[in-house]
Amino acid sequence: MYWRMVFRALIRQWKKMLMIAFTIALGASLATAMLNVMFDVGDKVNQELKTYGANICVVPQTASIMNDMYGLESESIQYLREDELGRLKTIFWAFNIVDFAPYLDGKANLARVPKTPTADSDFTELGEVKVTGTWFNHHLALPTGEELDTGMVAMKKWWTVTGDWLSDDETVIEPVEMTTSEAVVSTRSTTEMTAKNDLVPMKAMVGADLAQKYGLQVGDTITLSTANWQDKHWQFSVRGIFEAGGDEDECVYLTLDDAQWLFGKDNLISSIEVSALTTPDNDLARKAAQDPESLNRVDWDTWYCTAYVSSICYQIQEVISNSVAKAVRQVAESEGAILNKTQLLMLLITILSLIGSALGISNLVTASVMERSKEIGLLKAIGAYDSPISWLVLTEILITAVVGGVLGYFAGLGFAQVIGHSVFSSAITIKPTVIPLVAILIFVVTMAGSIPSIRLLLSLRPAEVLHGGH
């Protein structure tokens, strides 16, 4: 009898029940979409922010001490080793290391080579400039047997480049010399060359400010000389001119091999920039960043096994000899702030959508009870208690909520993918934990929305209802 009354009530009031199901489905779909996006947004936001530079810088210990104590950023007294770079992908959080690039910095004298050089032509000396060697798009074989491509191109996507990026495989090895009136001009070539017209200059990229200062253009030939090579000038063809928006715009960039040759620093680098996916800092991470040794064993294990920027820095120092890894705080803190605000926004949208659903359910169920007031009054008149009648109405609403919740969940999965492809250009990972969360939220919202109608039901008096008092 009970279930017959339930299903007949559902069929008799199918329009109102359909509206209730639609209201619940709308709330469930928004909750499902927002929760899936919120749980997956961390990696998505981090991936987006990785296109704007590194969040960890690795330098030699002596360079870190000089900078911390005296604020000096002079040439390194100590260097890191290029052959240890593959170790970055062997740490506990290796998969969170998205990209990295080594740098070798130094000073060199810059000169311009005439468009049509002659044996007795002179160079136009331009002055001393900062020269940086790096990987642009380097293919690296890892100690684990894996292979990857990494370098500055992937980390500096916001740079505006006129011309082309350098390529690491363009570096050539053997030097060939030619005599001019006052200096020796050298270049590298893969074959033995004797004629001046056969020379193949190395490639370089020049910062926009430096190019504007000296009137350099793509295709021009410059020379760089260092004390390491005494009076030898090395020829470089300007492959590209870049605008980075910082101090880099006054620099010359070479491949790492060419810079190591130029400065006589074989297998040595000045610093490493690392782009890593990280978890926003909390009190534990901030405490560990100041002194990891101050943590007890449980806290230390939690910190070490969580992708905090400080724990990744600590692990990098474990595998790179004589190094200090530091978070680029402006980037790391911005990532955490943006992520927290994004997740808060998703949570607020979820809460507001559920509140709206609860209000809609309340209005619809209350209207349904008022329409059925004579039926409910009759049930009370023949001896039905308030509790069974209340459960009868709640059962109808809960059955409707299940139907609306299931439809809303699958619609929400679709909304989540639309958000993912529209905002992040990638799919949102479906989180199984969202299913029980949505189920609990729908139950709570349905019960909360039914409270006013149950109160109205309990207040109905059979005599008043049956004799037209209501």
Side-chain angles (χ1 to χ4, degrees), residues 379-402:
L379 289 173
K380 286 187 176 185
I382 62 177
Y385 293 103
D386 288 339
S387 179
I389 298 174
S390 299
W391 278 112
L392 178 68
V393 174
L394 285 175
T395 302
E396 298 168 6
I397 303 306
L398 288 173
I399 292 174
T400 307
V402 169

Side-chain angles (χ1 to χ4, degrees), residues 373-379 381 461-470:
S373 60
K374 289 187 178 182
E375 174 190 343
I376 294 169
L378 181 60
L379 289 173
R461 298 292 182 263
E464 296 176 353
V465 172
L466 295 175
H467 288 84
H470 279 268

